[in-house]
Amino acid sequence: MKPFKRKVSLTGPTGFTGLRLKAPAKTAAGRLGVVVAMKHAFKEMGVYKSMRSLLHMNQPDGFDCPSCAWPDPAKPSKIAEYCENGAKALADEATNTHIGRKFFESYSVEELSELSDYQINKLGRIIEPLVLKPGKLHYEPISWGAAFSMISDQLHQLSDPDEAIFYTSGRSSNEAAFLYGMFARAFGTNNLPDCSNMCHESSGVALSETLGIGKGSVVLEDLYQAEVVIVAGQNPGTNHPRMLSALAKCKENGGSIISINPLEEAGLVNFKDPQQLKGWIGSGQDLADLHLPVKINQDIPLMKLILKKLLQLDKERGGVFDHDFIKKYTNGYAALTADLEQYNATDLLRMTGVREEAINQAVDLLARSSKIIICWAMGLTQHKNGVATIKEYVNLLLAKGALGKPNAGTCPVRGHSNVQGDRSVGIMHYVNKGLNERIEKHLGFKPPAHEGVDTVGAMKAMYEGKAKIFMALGGNFLMAASDTEYTAEALQNCKLTVQVSTKLNRTHLVTGETALLLPTIGRSEKDSRGGKQRFFTVENSMGQVRQSKGLLKPASDQIMSEPEIISGIAHAYFKGRHAVDWKAMGQNYELIREKIDQVAKGFENTSERSKGAGYYLPNNVRELDFSHLPGGQAQFSVNPLPDHQLAEDEMILMTIRSHDQFNTTIYGLDDRYRGIYGERRVVLMHPDDMNDRGLQKQDVVNLTSNYDSTLRKAENFKVVPYNIPKGNLAAYFPETNLLIPYNHFAEGSRTPISKSIVVKVSPVNSEQ
């Protein structure tokens, strides 16, 4: 007998909400950004609560922004150390709108699933623990004790610990993530997929193999005095807006900025800093000196061409490459130069789609600079060759000796506030022998020595019935993962799904046979016990660990902190009989940090050192220590060119965020920097491609992909003419995640190919 499956919508409505088009913006932030941020905050939180909390966000004695992981300056602005999207994220979390038992009595999960992701997010904060019982359509209240017992009972019924999956999102604190990862191992599994599997896993693999650490090497201040900053495959104006201030300082100090991206994004065209008078009344500051509109996933031929031209200049006049650095610290330079020699410059240029004059300008800037920083995000990582692409960029830094010194190095920019911290404290599906030894020594139990599943592996295990319990510490797994229909069926195959969350999202509606929804406090809320306020720690995108202490009254007295929830589950499962005193850890975070210092590499005296600006974790690249790499040296690499083998009627699609969006959270329906208002179901296309296909502005099309003879379709998108390379398309996620095959991913990192999906475009009327 098949288990009962609820008839839920995976997408919500696919109709249109009123598209309005304007010219793309040529400036970011400024007065309008402040107005939009305040309007959103006041609507969700009210004026007093908004101003009180915003003044404490990203302050030394305040709480860390729940949005991106961009670091705070040593001396943050006392009135506005936040951006528009940070203010939206705070307002979204601290909204005055709440939902509980009465709401869920009125609305079934089937009815709620018919709403859009934007509408679901607007429903408000969850204020009590809830259960969706087998065969039922409505969530019901459940006590915390009963919820913990239910999870414990289900875990005990498994025939193998690997039938449980413990997923983590980037919103968790170091303390929660550490406790969660240790409980999973104490239970007996390394099934610890996390959101970084879907974003910067390619960065971690590429950097570990070439430089020996899966993190960036720069600190915030390095950007201020850099001679050249390359921003590749990244849109900081929307996804990391406070980065623009650092880029502005670089420009003021005489540095140059090169943007490499298929789309020219407003944030890198011009920036009006709202913390300065000229950001309100002036014309703003131009940022990118040069924009290279590379075709989707053609960064490797672009970098090979740049390196080839630099190599020729080095041969002609010398002094272009840092040969002392290359000889002392690197391995593989001869193989790199031999690889570059075999390519024809004309062929490489054709692949990039970029004008040669622009590439020559970039070469000229790089030839006379040694303090070079390369920043990147999903535009490089989410391709089949994502690892190789990042390695090719690293080749440039190695050749220029732009590592291990001030104002130079690698800068992968993390998109969620503590996703890097999660990995640092032990959220990983693979086995780290040193970590396992420290766990056994300091926590008193023997962790499993076999590899667990990553995100792709978790989807497959659930789909095939090999995993029966799915637990998520935050996140919106269904909408974040690739292949939405496949992922939905995988979740629905589970006996139990457990979500630790602040607000409702679609994953709470597409569940296992039984589902638990466990509400937790937000980053901005006070976490107190026995009249004493507790604090968390987080790690930013540059490896800096600092405290985060909430300010606001929690949304309800029926919600718990994440460490309390995890410790409650662990205590119920082990019934108090385990080497780790889980209950005590959930009550006293100092105990957790003591264990983090002992078990997690690089953490030391965290409770004290995380105060104020915090402290940096060790970074071997900053010390030019490559002793644990082959030959004790950093590694040049030889990387093949991409080969998409497109048919005449196929194009390459990349998924993108709108400006009114943070990951899968939709704040609104506008993308004002790109001039798109009131609509998310759009696809950006070059006018020449439109003409070739007989399409007019706002024609309605369907998008299809066909991998391994499986046809996937995303329906009803309006065509928007846009300055994007010919043959390329862009559309928002999660609406187009339907098109991404679960079993096609980056080689080496298994990150979904969200930025280079082969698709066909069909007018809706031609299919009728």
Side-chain angles (χ1 to χ4, degrees):
M1 183 177 178
K2 289 186 177 181
F4 172 79
K5 289 190 178 180
R6 302 165 184 95
K7 297 177 181 178
V8 288
S9 171
L10 308 185
T11 62
T14 57
F16 299 110
T17 50
L19 174 62
R20 292 173 289 115
L21 296 175
K22 296 182 180 179
K26 291 298 182 183
T27 191
R31 181 185 64 83
L32 181 58
V34 175
V35 170
V36 172
M38 291 301 101
K39 182 179 179 180
H40 191 91
F42 293 167
K43 182 178 180 181
E44 295 291 336
M45 297 188 291
V47 176
Y48 174 73
K49 185 177 176 182
S50 296
M51 298 309 300
R52 183 168 175 248
S53 53
L54 285 168
L55 288 171
H56 280 76
M57 189 158 72
N58 295 327
Q59 298 299 323
D61 60 344
F63 58 91
D64 197 59
C65 176
S67 188
C68 81
W70 190 253
D72 305 321
K75 294 182 179 179
S77 166
K78 292 183 178 180
I79 59 170
E81 193 53 60
Y82 55 87
C83 66
E84 176 187 338
N85 271 16
K88 288 176 179 176
L90 169 64
D92 196 69
E93 172 186 277
T95 178
N96 292 330
T97 305
H98 300 158
I99 53 176
R101 65 186 67 196
K102 289 185 178 179
F103 174 86
F104 288 100
E105 285 174 3
S106 301
Y107 298 99
S108 72
V109 292
E110 291 181 346
E111 290 172 310
L112 292 170
S113 75
E114 296 298 331
L115 300 175
S116 68
D117 292 287
Y118 166 64
Q119 291 169 321
I120 292 172
N121 182 61
K122 285 294 181 184
L123 295 173
R125 285 287 295 276
I126 306 160
I127 56 172
E128 59 184 326
L130 301 158
V131 61
L132 184 62
K133 296 178 180 177
K136 300 292 185 180
L137 297 177
H138 291 259
Y139 274 104
E140 304 169 19
I142 186 174
S143 70
W144 282 104
F148 296 154
S149 294
M150 181 181 291
I151 298 169
S152 171
D153 291 345
Q154 292 279 354
L155 289 173
H156 277 291
Q157 289 175 28
L158 298 178
S159 58
D160 187 311
D162 287 337
E163 291 181 342
I165 289 169
F166 298 85
Y167 171 78
T168 317
S169 88
R171 73 168 300 279
S172 305
S173 64
N174 288 335
E175 289 76 6
F178 177 80
L179 207 60
Y180 191 63
M182 295 307 114
F183 170 63
R185 291 180 174 90
F187 174 67
T189 186
N190 279 312
N191 286 349
L192 284 160
D194 73 311
C195 59
S196 68
N197 297 152
M198 297 180 278
C199 53
H200 268 293
E201 195 72 39
S202 296
S203 301
V205 172
L207 293 175
S208 294
E209 292 180 355
T210 56
L211 302 178
I213 187 171
K215 303 179 182 182
S217 65
V218 303
V219 299
L220 179 60
E221 292 74 17
D222 284 329
L223 277 85
Y224 302 163
Q225 300 287 342
E227 293 172 323
V228 176
V229 176
I230 295 175
V231 182
Q234 184 196 359
N235 176 15
T238 285
N239 300 334
H240 316 93
R242 288 191 300 141
M243 180 180 175
L244 300 180
S245 298
L247 295 178
K249 288 183 180 180
C250 175
K251 289 282 294 190
E252 290 167 1
N253 292 325
S256 298
I257 296 167
I258 300 173
S259 166
I260 301 177
N261 199 6
L263 300 177
E264 183 179 60
E265 303 287 13
L268 290 174
V269 176
N270 183 275
F271 170 54
K272 292 185 176 181
D273 188 347
Q275 294 184 11
Q276 299 185 24
L277 181 62
K278 65 181 181 181
W280 288 78
I281 61 175
S283 58
Q285 183 172 20
D286 294 340
L287 289 185
D289 298 86
L290 187 61
H291 173 62
L292 306 182
V294 65
K295 288 185 175 182
I296 291 174
N297 195 219
Q298 298 299 331
D299 293 79
I300 289 180
L302 175 63
M303 291 312 299
K304 285 187 185 296
L305 182 55
I306 288 173
L307 282 164
K308 188 177 178 69
K309 287 175 177 283
L310 288 170
L311 178 62
Q312 184 61 37
L313 288 175
D314 189 65
K315 288 179 178 179
E316 291 172 359
R317 67 189 194 206
V320 173
F321 285 170
D322 188 337
H323 291 280
D324 289 339
F325 180 93
I326 292 169
K327 183 177 180 180
K328 185 175 182 180
Y329 293 109
T330 75
N331 178 51
Y333 178 71
L336 174 79
T337 57
D339 175 66
L340 294 175
E341 296 285 4
Q342 72 170 313
Y343 293 107
N344 179 278
T346 303
D347 292 338
L348 293 174
L349 180 66
R350 175 184 50 77
M351 293 181 72
T352 70
V354 181
R355 292 181 302 108
E356 187 168 20
E357 304 94 293
I359 292 174
N360 288 340
Q361 286 180 261
V363 169
D364 181 59
L365 282 173
L366 293 167
R368 49 192 169 89
S369 303
S370 63
K371 296 179 179 180
I372 301 166
I373 293 174
I374 300 179
C375 307
W376 71 90
M378 305 303 93
L380 298 193
T381 67
Q382 293 180 327
H383 304 280
K384 185 177 181 180
N385 61 353
V387 173
T389 298
I390 294 160
K391 285 183 174 182
E392 198 67 45
Y393 276 94
V394 171
N395 282 340
L396 173 63
L397 295 176
L398 290 172
K400 294 293 297 180
L403 290 161
K405 63 184 180 184
N407 318 118
T410 56
C411 184
V413 185
R414 310 285 175 164
H416 211 159
S417 60
N418 197 43
V419 64
Q420 187 161 292
D422 287 351
R423 182 59 59 86
S424 294
V425 299
I427 298 296
M428 61 187 77
H429 65 280
Y430 49 85
V431 177
N432 181 303
K433 185 179 178 181
L435 177 66
N436 276 13
E437 290 172 352
R438 293 190 295 273
I439 290 172
E440 189 169 0
K441 178 180 179 180
H442 297 291
L443 294 179
F445 70 88
K446 193 174 183 66
H450 62 280
E451 187 169 297
V453 295
D454 59 6
T455 295
V456 170
M459 293 158 58
K460 189 171 185 287
M462 291 187 288
Y463 185 88
E464 295 176 351
K466 296 176 182 177
K468 299 173 182 177
I469 294 178
F470 174 81
M471 185 180 298
L473 190 63
N476 184 1
F477 187 81
L478 174 64
M479 294 290 96
S482 57
D483 215 333
T484 309
E485 290 187 5
Y486 183 93
T487 305
E489 187 162 347
L491 288 167
Q492 289 172 313
N493 284 345
C494 291
K495 290 285 291 181
L496 173 69
T497 50
V498 182
Q499 309 278 337
V500 179
S501 302
T502 54
K503 299 184 74 177
L504 200 67
N505 62 52
R506 195 170 297 278
T507 309
H508 305 146
L509 310 176
V510 182
T511 71
E513 186 177 338
T514 301
L516 283 168
L517 189 45
L518 306 181
T520 188
I521 66 169
R523 186 75 61 81
S524 58
E525 293 173 327
K526 279 186 178 179
D527 179 8
S528 301
R529 185 174 182 86
K532 184 178 180 181
Q533 186 172 359
R534 302 176 288 194
F535 67 85
F536 298 115
T537 59
V538 295
E539 179 188 347
N540 66 32
S541 200
M542 295 179 181
Q544 189 177 26
V545 178
R546 57 157 288 184
Q547 294 183 10
S548 178
K549 187 182 293 184
L551 170 77
L552 304 174
K553 181 181 177 182
S556 164
D557 58 7
Q558 294 298 308
I559 62 178
M560 285 188 176
S561 72
E562 287 179 325
E564 287 175 324
I565 294 171
I566 299 160
S567 68
I569 295 169
H571 183 74
Y573 178 78
F574 289 111
K575 303 187 187 307
R577 297 187 293 271
H578 192 260
V580 176
D581 189 342
W582 300 99
K583 188 174 183 179
M585 299 261 261
Q587 295 172 347
N588 185 354
Y589 302 164
E590 294 293 334
L591 298 177
I592 304 177
R593 284 187 284 274
E594 286 176 11
K595 295 303 179 184
I596 290 176
D597 289 344
Q598 293 172 334
V599 172
K601 192 175 181 180
F603 288 80
E604 184 179 354
N605 193 19
T606 297
S607 287
E608 269 305 308
R609 296 176 71 203
S610 60
K611 292 178 180 177
Y615 72 100
Y616 285 97
L617 295 175
N619 190 298
N620 66 283
V621 180
R622 293 172 189 161
E623 305 301 321
L624 288 176
D625 175 13
F626 305 112
S627 56
H628 55 295
L629 287 170
Q633 294 180 309
Q635 305 292 304
F636 280 102
S637 57
V638 173
N639 306 294
L641 296 174
D643 183 13
H644 289 287
Q645 295 288 325
L646 296 181
E648 188 175 348
D649 59 347
E650 291 178 330
M651 303 180 75
I652 296 284
L653 168 74
M654 64 176 180
T655 64
I656 57 175
R657 288 188 199 174
S658 79
H659 191 63
D660 253 358
Q661 175 179 359
F662 173 66
N663 294 339
T664 60
T665 302
I666 313 300
Y667 302 135
L669 300 178
D670 295 342
D671 191 0
R672 74 171 189 275
Y673 286 173
R674 298 190 182 105
I676 299 168
Y677 294 81
E679 185 59 70
R680 290 186 54 81
R681 303 193 72 82
V682 296
V683 57
L684 311 188
M685 183 182 292
H686 192 281
D688 289 351
D689 287 326
M690 292 173 58
N691 290 335
D692 290 345
R693 289 159 176 77
L695 295 171
Q696 303 294 320
K697 182 168 67 175
Q698 297 203 36
D699 276 357
V700 181
V701 298
N702 292 334
L703 305 173
T704 57
S705 66
N706 193 337
Y707 288 84
D708 307 317
S709 300
T710 299
L711 187 70
R712 296 170 175 86
K713 179 184 284 190
E715 297 182 316
N716 285 0
F717 288 80
K718 288 195 173 184
V719 177
V720 173
Y722 208 82
N723 186 17
I724 185 172
K726 287 191 285 187
N728 292 173
L729 302 169
Y732 303 128
F733 72 86
E735 288 85 351
T736 47
N737 285 1
L738 289 158
L739 300 167
I740 308 167
Y742 78 93
N743 57 345
H744 285 253
F745 37 71
E747 295 171 346
S749 71
R750 290 164 59 90
T751 295
I753 56 167
S754 305
K755 292 292 186 286
S756 53
I757 315 158
V758 177
V759 300
K760 293 183 180 181
V761 180
S762 304
V764 168
N765 57 15
S766 71
E767 297 184 1
Q768 295 174 348

